[in-house]
Amino acid sequence: MKKEEEFMLEAIADAKKNKHHFGAVVVKGEKIISKAGKRPVGDPRYHAETQAIMKATKKLKSKHLKDCVLYSTCEPCPMCFYMAWITHIPKIVYGASQKDAIKAGFEEIDVDDKELDKKSGNRIKLVKGVMKKECLELFEK
């Protein structure tokens, strides 16, 4: 199993454990720094990615996550992409796409990661479709 799949499994497992449709983990080297499903309930700012990023900055006592990778079960929305960008995360790995989320009935802005990365100076390496089938299963709950 590839490292990307191993860490994506952690994001999927955390989403399932917390009965959420989305999960994310921040990894530094080979170590998971933070995990987060979408919580707390009722607060739209707390997407899995934003939670994982905020937890990682707090744990590492740094506003920058230059040596970290964000793994997300879904392509980050513009808000989550910005959080990764502003904290200098160099790589995002995700499973399902924004179009998949929209098709499943989630309220999302239809802007893909390539467009966001282009407009932000192409600072983030993007790896899509990792364990997509398993990530899409989270939408079925």
Side-chain angles (χ1 to χ4, degrees):
M1 178 180 292
K2 291 181 178 181
K3 284 291 176 195
E4 288 178 347
E5 292 173 349
E6 186 179 315
F7 293 125
M8 187 62 75
L9 275 174
E10 290 289 332
I12 292 167
D14 192 60
K16 286 180 179 179
K17 178 181 117 185
N18 291 293
K19 297 181 173 77
H20 293 292
H21 300 288
F22 303 95
V25 297
V26 173
V27 175
K28 183 175 181 178
E30 300 296 312
K31 184 180 177 191
I32 293 175
I33 303 302
S34 63
K35 297 181 186 183
K38 186 179 176 185
R39 45 190 181 277
V41 175
D43 192 331
R45 299 170 299 163
Y46 290 100
H47 289 192
E49 300 93 337
T50 59
Q51 276 290 93
I53 290 168
M54 288 189 295
K55 286 179 178 181
T57 59
K58 187 175 183 177
K59 186 172 184 177
L60 295 174
K61 296 182 173 105
S62 175
K63 64 181 181 176
H64 292 138
L65 302 173
K66 295 177 192 171
D67 300 325
C68 297
V69 177
L70 173 64
Y71 290 84
S72 177
T73 59
C74 189
E75 177 181 2
C77 71
M79 176 181 71
C80 296
F81 185 92
Y82 177 75
M83 286 284 291
W85 183 81
I86 200 71
T87 57
H88 297 224
I89 290 176
K91 182 177 178 182
I92 299 172
V93 178
Y94 64 89
S97 70
Q98 283 291 326
K99 291 201 182 305
D100 294 325
I102 292 166
K103 189 176 178 181
F106 294 98
E107 192 174 10
E108 300 289 341
I109 297 173
D110 192 6
V111 178
D112 72 11
D113 61 340
K114 285 183 184 177
E115 184 66 21
L116 292 168
D117 195 42
K118 179 180 173 186
K119 288 184 181 282
S120 63
N122 297 304
R123 275 195 341 206
I124 301 176
K125 180 180 179 184
L126 303 163
V127 180
K128 63 181 178 178
V130 175
M131 301 191 74
K132 182 175 180 170
K133 179 180 169 275
E134 294 83 350
C135 292
L136 286 171
E137 289 172 2
L138 294 170
F139 294 170
E140 296 170 10
K141 291 183 175 191

